[in-house]
Amino acid sequence: QVQLVESGGGLVQAGGSLRLSCAASGRTFSNYDMGWFRQAPGKERSLVTYISASGGVTYYADSVKGRFTISRDNAKNTVYLQMNSLKSEDTAVYYCAAKRLGYDSYPGQYDYWGQGTRVTVSS
């Protein structure tokens, strides 16, 4: 089992920044690929960004490229999502998730999920 706890969400004005954190406990964090997903009201959960277990491979959705940065600190069992130049369309609940064996954008392929943290961007 891997337990994931997100933090760092909140209310921010458009153009502002937030940094989300996802702290992991349980099994060896460094063995797991990590993803940040988001889900807005009435929409499906979708992958925002992904980072491989070693941190050497990342993926970003087109909508966040150049604005969001994913990183991880395996010594601290934590993955981060730095969000800059936030837009109203970034408003959603953000979830971190863990999986093994490489990149996937499908939520069903992720084995462990956090409870989510809400991000609201006011325009």
Side-chain angles (χ1 to χ4, degrees):
Q1 285 279 44
V2 176
Q3 292 78 41
L4 302 173
V5 179
E6 301 98 336
S7 61
L11 174 65
V12 63
Q13 289 189 332
S17 298
L18 280 175
R19 188 175 84 152
L20 306 184
S21 299
C22 173
S25 60
R27 293 187 175 178
T28 306
F29 176 70
S30 59
N31 288 343
Y32 287 84
D33 306 314
M34 298 297 296
W36 282 99
F37 288 77
R38 67 186 179 187
Q39 187 167 20
K43 295 189 176 181
E44 294 186 349
R45 192 171 299 189
S46 64
L47 181 68
V48 175
T49 180
Y50 158 95
I51 189 167
S52 63
S54 67
V57 178
T58 57
Y59 161 88
Y60 294 92
D62 287 343
S63 59
V64 306
K65 280 181 183 176
R67 301 188 297 122
F68 290 12
T69 303
I70 191 171
S71 61
R72 66 189 297 162
D73 185 339
N74 285 344
K76 294 184 178 180
N77 290 350
T78 302
V79 62
Y80 304 96
L81 178 61
Q82 178 66 44
M83 305 187 295
N84 298 330
S85 303
L86 283 160
K87 304 175 180 180
S88 57
E89 51 262 45
D90 296 317
T91 295
V93 177
Y94 284 72
Y95 300 88
C96 65
K99 69 180 300 293
R100 299 193 67 178
L101 303 179
Y103 169 80
D104 204 297
S105 64
Y106 180 55
Q109 293 299 317
Y110 287 74
D111 300 307
Y112 303 103
W113 291 84
Q115 81 289 351
T117 186
R118 185 174 301 277
V119 172
T120 303
V121 183
S122 63
S123 55

